[in-house]
Amino acid sequence: MSPSFDLPDAASARIVVAMSGGVDSSVVAALAAGTGAEVIGVTLQLYDHGEAVKRSGSCCAGQDIYDAKTVCDRLGIAHYVLDFESRFRTGVIDRFADEYAQGRTPVPCSLCNQGVKFTDLIAFARDLGADCLATGHYVRRAEREGRVELWKGRDPARDQSYFLYGTTQEQLDYLRFPLGDLPKSETRRLAVEAGLVVADKPDSQDICFVPDGDYAGLVKRLRPETAAPGEIVGLDGEFLGQHQGVVHFTIGQRRGIEIGGQPEPLYVVRIEPEERRLVVGPRRALAVAAARVEGINWLAEDQTRVEAKVRSLARPVAGNWDGERLHFESPEYGVAPGQSAVFYDGDRLLGGGTIVETEGADLKSAVAA
């Protein structure tokens, strides 16, 4: 299927393209320019961490801004840079650190999309009189029965719908995702065909503002109290050892516990940040029967029977939604407060929210599962 901007008359339209400096958004800009529309590229400067500017695989930093401008010059389109560093720090980076400090597992990409990348960028595009804002996300936008829906990207390996559950209906009416039907190999082929300098540029990592992958280091700098040592205890409260800061751990983690002499491997079952305490137990103690989800955003009808993803790379699992809790049909592992629970009906995204509490499964059932 050919990429489309779903506009009545693209040749007479004005299209704003969100350009991160990577290959995906650059190809979107090239496709938009190919329609004959007036195209404006916009790049958000979200952070600048010194060496991150020079590192390939980040986004929205110095080198990426230069790459986006180079692509726009190649295509003969205008390019704007918006300094949203302060908003990004407050709305994404600080919240990321706060969540870790409270023992939760945050999803910063969802926060970013719900904030500066959509809310603020759409407002800017409207101020420019644009007919739509186009992005390089691998998701599909479909119109059915007079309503716009959001669907998974056709290539399962590239689908980014998990991070877009917070998109509102009004935003979806205005957004366009022309890469949703393409595999990444085709996107790169189009980049080569258009002569874009970013055709071979590595993909940006999920958490763009931690280019070296050291999440703990970032959180420790912002919230030093998370590096304080504390106790590791078993499910029964028995003291088992010491840790070097809750910042180094998330629910379900096994690495770094380093307690020997146990009959089976131990995992982080609960984090109690105020007491600086880790509660650990066998894998069966991680089995979750239900999760309370708040901040629900519905893009489609409120369904009781859903398929749910609780991690971006996890497969959807069957569940039932009662209006407050997501009940898993079988015990689910690796579920933690702070994560997003995103609901689907097949490939169609229904909505989602943030997990705030989990309910453990019966341990005997968990063992059998």
Side-chain angles (χ1 to χ4, degrees), residues 36-329:
E38 178 188 359
V39 181
I40 301 170
V42 179
T43 302
L44 303 180
Q45 180 177 328
L46 299 181
Y47 69 96
D48 190 344
H49 288 173
E51 287 303 311
V53 173
K54 305 173 186 177
R55 182 185 176 98
S56 297
S58 61
C59 80
C60 306
Q63 181 62 48
D64 308 291
I65 294 171
Y66 177 80
D67 289 343
K69 182 182 184 304
T70 301
V71 169
C72 288
D73 289 344
R74 164 74 179 178
L75 298 174
I77 64 176
H79 180 241
Y80 291 92
V81 178
L82 304 183
D83 184 355
F84 280 9
E85 187 169 348
S86 177
R87 297 189 199 186
F88 186 72
R89 170 171 286 277
T90 302
V92 179
I93 297 179
D94 284 347
R95 288 180 66 180
F96 175 83
D98 287 340
E99 288 288 283
Y100 258 101
Q102 295 174 47
R104 295 196 284 262
T105 306
V107 185
C109 295
S110 296
L111 292 176
C112 185
N113 288 325
Q114 293 170 33
V116 294
K117 279 195 177 174
F118 279 177
T119 304
D120 295 335
L121 196 46
I122 284 177
F124 182 75
R126 290 190 185 279
D127 286 344
L128 291 178
D131 294 279
C132 69
L133 171 68
T135 82
H137 289 98
Y138 285 86
V139 293
R140 289 176 288 163
R141 178 184 181 276
E143 296 189 24
R144 292 198 316 170
E145 301 176 355
R147 183 182 179 89
V148 181
E149 299 176 340
L150 192 62
W151 289 54
K152 293 179 183 178
R154 195 172 296 278
D155 181 356
R158 301 301 307 176
D159 170 53
Q160 293 172 302
S161 61
Y162 178 82
F163 302 109
L164 300 183
Y165 75 86
T167 307
T168 66
Q169 188 64 54
E170 182 181 7
Q171 290 171 340
L172 193 54
D173 289 341
Y174 192 68
L175 289 163
R176 299 295 186 273
F177 309 106
L179 302 186
D181 283 297
L182 303 184
K184 186 60 176 263
S185 58
E186 176 64 8
T187 299
R188 290 202 182 274
R189 188 193 69 77
L190 290 171
V192 171
E193 187 177 274
L196 306 183
V197 296
V198 296
D200 296 322
K201 187 174 181 178
D203 291 340
S204 60
Q205 59 187 36
D206 281 350
I207 302 183
C208 62
F209 56 88
V210 192
D212 59 0
D214 184 10
Y215 310 143
L218 172 68
V219 176
K220 282 191 290 187
R221 289 195 299 273
L222 297 176
R223 304 292 182 269
E225 67 276 12
T226 62
E231 294 183 344
I232 302 176
V233 302
L235 295 173
D236 57 1
E238 178 188 2
F239 175 81
L240 298 176
Q242 292 272 349
H243 65 79
Q244 297 304 309
V246 295
V247 68
H248 298 289
F249 299 91
T250 56
I251 302 297
Q253 183 172 325
R254 178 182 173 187
R255 180 178 51 83
I257 296 176
E258 298 178 354
I259 295 174
Q262 299 297 311
E264 52 190 317
L266 297 176
Y267 299 80
V268 178
V269 176
R270 189 167 67 252
I271 300 173
E272 299 176 349
E274 292 185 2
E275 292 78 18
R276 304 198 304 272
R277 185 162 53 225
L278 295 180
V279 180
V280 300
R283 183 177 183 274
R284 61 180 177 275
L286 293 171
V288 169
R292 183 160 62 88
V293 184
E294 293 185 349
I296 289 286
N297 177 64
W298 290 107
L299 266 174
E301 64 275 14
D302 182 345
Q303 293 192 14
T304 57
R305 174 78 174 174
V306 298
E307 295 173 294
K309 290 181 68 169
V310 294
R311 296 176 305 283
S312 62
L313 298 179
R315 291 184 178 182
V317 296
N320 292 283
W321 171 249
D322 67 7
E324 181 182 6
R325 283 180 168 79
L326 170 64
H327 300 268
F328 299 104
E329 287 199 352

